[in-house]
Amino acid sequence: MEGFGVVLSFWVLAAVTLVSAGGVMVSRNLFHAVLFLITTFVGIAGFFVLLSADFIAMAQVIIYVGAIAVLVLFAILLTPHAGRDNGETRMLLPALLLSTCLGAVFIFVIVDADWRTISESPSVGVRELGSALLGTWALPFEIASVLLTAALVGAIMLVRSPEEEAEDALV
Amino acid sequence: MTLNIEQFLIVGALLFCLGLAVALSKRNAIGVLMGVEIMLNAVNLTLITFSRFGESARPITGPTFVVFVITVAAAEAAVALALAVSVYRNRDTVDVDRLNFLKS
């Protein structure tokens, strides 16, 4: 990948994504952490555009920024007395140590490995993605729809209040 | 100036490690879930990077897997947040340090 614009947008996206992911770690207020999380998701969507995966970028914006972020915000709203505190447990130091070691290993392996790469982008448009999803991967696709239905029903069952369950038992 | 596979993979690896640190160290259950979401995003970025740069006979497999990862992440987020709300109703807290009802 060459060109000044592409390289510049890569570094800007990398800075935005990593800084806002760090903001999720360091911000004391849970609401601010969610806002940083949304920025991280948008940055990842930008990476997908840069890697010419347009449909995945759109799905990322719709599902992560649109749905999951709103779901997290609602979960924070529904747990009011739990506080907006985004503090750490006693395991902060081991967690930081473990993730630093893991990151060092990852970076060593990535730099050291001899990747066999291609220069021009392969053609993976929406058409190819659709025929792969409904052709080769039709069975996992259907199983994913069953999983989504199960998650929908499960989430509704879990958040029902005891009064509603009592009313349903009377009927 | 050129961009290679290494730069993208390093961003994905750093993002994964940040998500891991968040997931392991946060006290609020919703914070832990945010760390898990960051880790899933980092993995998606790595998959798309390999599908764009990697030498493969079927480059469509990477984006297909990303679609399934996003689906499972959405289902997981819905159920996990419902669990957090349900636990909050019973215990008035979502502090993972104080959720120890399996301890006898």
Side-chain angles (χ1 to χ4, degrees), chain A residues 2-169:
Chain A
E2 294 188 24
F4 179 71
V6 173
V7 175
L8 180 72
S9 50
F10 171 80
W11 289 111
V12 170
L13 282 172
V16 166
T17 310
L18 290 176
V19 166
S20 53
V24 175
M25 184 72 197
V26 299
S27 62
R28 297 292 83 186
N29 189 322
L30 204 55
F31 261 121
H32 298 169
V34 178
L35 297 181
F36 277 121
L37 187 73
I38 293 174
T39 319
T40 312
F41 289 160
V42 173
I44 297 277
F47 273 118
F48 289 162
V49 173
L50 201 61
L51 291 164
S52 48
D54 315 350
F55 176 75
I56 304 292
M58 280 295 104
Q60 167 89 7
V61 170
I62 292 170
I63 295 174
Y64 275 101
V65 183
I68 291 184
V70 174
L71 211 59
V72 173
L73 278 176
F74 266 102
I76 295 173
L77 289 176
L78 288 174
T79 55
H81 298 302
R84 302 282 172 263
D85 179 34
N86 193 27
E88 281 87 17
T89 57
R90 293 186 305 278
M91 302 305 278
L92 175 63
L93 205 63
L96 283 180
L97 207 65
L98 179 68
S99 49
T100 312
C101 292
L102 195 68
V105 170
F106 278 158
I107 288 176
F108 174 74
V109 169
I110 288 167
V111 172
D112 196 51
D114 182 24
W115 302 107
R116 300 204 312 172
T117 58
I118 51 175
S119 51
E120 76 269 26
S121 172
S123 68
V124 282
V126 182
R127 183 185 295 271
E128 285 82 9
L129 189 61
S131 56
L133 274 177
L134 292 175
T136 320
W137 309 107
L139 185 63
F141 185 75
E142 298 298 331
I143 293 174
S145 63
V146 173
L147 173 77
L148 278 177
T149 315
L152 180 72
V153 175
I156 293 171
M157 284 300 292
L158 280 172
V159 295
R160 279 202 321 171
S161 62
E163 298 88 56
E164 283 170 341
E165 280 177 28
E167 279 174 23
D168 282 1

Side-chain angles (χ1 to χ4, degrees), chain B residues 42-59:
Chain B
V43 170
N44 282 351
L45 178 61
T46 309
L47 281 168
I48 293 286
T49 304
F50 276 122
S51 118
R52 163 68 182 76
F53 285 102
E55 198 178 285
S56 158
R58 297 167 70 192

